[in-house]
Amino acid sequence: MLGRIGTSRDIQASVLGPIVRKAIKITDKFSKHSADYLVRSEATERPNYAYCMLVAARLAKSLGMDRISAIEIGVAGGNGLAFMVEFAERIKADTGVTIECIGFDTGEGMPPPESEKDLPYWFQASQYRMDVDALKKRLPEARLVLGNVKETIPAFFEDFNAAPIGAIFNDTDYFSSTRDSLSMFDHAVSHPERFLPRIPMYFDDILGSTIEMYGPFNGQLAAITEYNERSENVKVHLNQNLLSLNHVKYRYQIYYAHLFAHPRYNEYIGNDEQLVLEDKLKLR
């Protein structure tokens, strides 16, 4: 019974939603639920991360791949990366796809803001410091890439042989840091094997509060716009499939990167899903 209720959109969007999600989290401690069920019921500590990771794993599986990477840019204390490592095991059990978890961070907190687009009225240098030694000890399975992304991203593609990037969680706060982090896609043409052809992304600093006042001319939204204006082969856009789901709180923060020049971009993956749609269209 809890299974059907937990994944019902009507229940999720009602006042019963939080109660059901709490019940699922409690039962999960005794009987581990599948990754698919936890994502559909929104019953994880970070449903936004869980959603992107599962979508990426399913795409990888449809392409015959059994290993991908999930990247968090802006690790700070490390709670997001810890969730990624834990949930990756659930996804592997469901899909057979292994997810390598990688975190990019300065290790020393935020750098100084470059301009007014970095929202210096809200952010400043050295915020969100990481305890590097403690995090490495806590998460030996994860890989940390330390330094400013402007320098570490080029080195990452030259020096690291990571699995294809399948999901990206961007918590870089600044316009400038988000701009620099999106340069990762500049390597998609020379290193297409290091990416999935389509990548779910989560941007943390898009909604905010009345103090933050995020908008299209500052912070992450401005960086995304600027990137799309200069990029020909890769475009980053707000998702459309989640927007009608009012109970999904992060629906305005999930984006998709389309790598149009990727050699596997046009590879057909409709399969069973298209068969279901075709059956519904048959004359009765």
Side-chain angles (χ1 to χ4, degrees):
M1 175 67 87
L2 186 58
R4 292 195 299 273
I5 292 175
T7 57
S8 165
R9 292 184 180 182
D10 290 338
I11 293 295
Q12 285 288 331
S14 74
V15 293
L16 295 176
I19 299 173
V20 172
R21 288 190 286 274
K22 184 176 181 179
I24 293 171
K25 290 179 183 178
I26 292 173
T27 59
D28 187 55
K29 296 177 181 178
F30 307 101
S31 177
K32 294 293 185 181
H33 298 304
S34 70
D36 175 75
Y37 178 68
L38 291 174
V39 169
R40 288 188 294 119
S41 61
E42 297 285 305
T44 68
E45 292 303 318
R46 290 178 178 255
N48 46 346
Y49 279 45
Y51 173 84
C52 291
M53 292 173 71
L54 184 58
V55 169
R58 285 175 169 166
L59 174 55
K61 186 175 182 179
S62 71
L63 294 171
M65 303 164 63
D66 62 4
R67 183 176 293 271
I68 60 173
S69 296
I71 290 179
E72 184 178 47
I73 309 177
V75 177
N79 293 317
L81 193 60
F83 176 85
M84 290 162 61
V85 169
E86 178 185 354
F87 202 71
E89 292 302 314
R90 300 286 187 100
I91 290 177
K92 184 177 181 180
D94 269 22
T95 66
V97 175
T98 297
I99 301 180
E100 300 175 8
C101 299
I102 304 170
F104 283 75
D105 198 278
T106 66
E108 300 176 349
M110 297 177 67
E114 286 188 3
S115 72
E116 67 281 352
K117 287 186 177 181
D118 282 346
L119 294 87
Y121 58 82
W122 179 243
F123 297 118
Q124 61 182 350
S126 300
Q127 284 178 326
Y128 313 131
R129 282 182 175 271
M130 173 192 294
D131 187 333
V132 176
D133 292 337
L135 188 57
K136 287 183 175 179
K137 184 177 180 180
R138 168 74 170 77
L139 298 175
E141 311 94 331
R143 177 184 293 174
L144 284 178
V145 181
L146 299 177
N148 192 299
V149 289
K150 188 182 296 185
E151 285 80 39
T152 58
I153 285 177
F156 175 77
F157 284 95
E158 295 301 323
D159 303 334
F160 291 88
N161 186 28
I165 298 167
I168 299 175
F169 307 103
N170 197 308
D171 192 3
T172 48
D173 303 313
Y174 286 158
F175 162 82
S176 58
S177 298
T178 304
R179 175 201 63 205
D180 294 340
S181 70
L182 289 171
S183 70
M184 179 174 290
F185 292 124
D186 294 346
H187 300 268
V189 173
S190 57
H191 295 284
E193 74 284 355
R194 304 289 294 275
F195 298 87
L196 290 188
R198 292 169 295 283
I199 297 175
M201 304 180 70
Y202 169 78
F203 288 91
D204 188 69
D205 304 286
I206 282 179
L207 299 182
S209 68
T210 53
I211 298 177
E212 294 158 291
M213 290 190 181
Y214 299 141
F217 306 108
N218 62 27
Q220 293 199 303
L221 285 172
I224 294 168
T225 298
E226 181 182 282
Y227 176 78
N228 283 329
E229 289 174 349
R230 74 172 179 83
S231 172
E232 293 184 6
N233 296 314
V234 180
K235 298 293 184 182
V236 178
H237 70 87
L238 181 65
N239 88 86
Q240 301 299 307
N241 54 290
L242 293 174
L243 296 182
S244 64
L245 305 180
N246 293 334
H247 65 283
V248 177
K249 294 181 179 180
Y250 54 86
R251 63 190 183 278
Y252 293 107
Q253 294 168 280
I254 301 295
Y255 281 63
Y256 299 129
H258 285 252
L259 284 61
F260 293 114
H262 194 287
R264 303 192 70 180
Y265 184 85
N266 295 330
E267 189 168 329
Y268 182 74
I269 60 170
N271 303 322
D272 294 341
E273 287 79 2
Q274 279 289 7
L275 290 176
V276 171
L277 291 175
E278 287 184 23
D279 184 66
K280 291 181 179 179
L281 293 173
K282 288 180 180 178
L283 182 64
R284 306 297 181 189

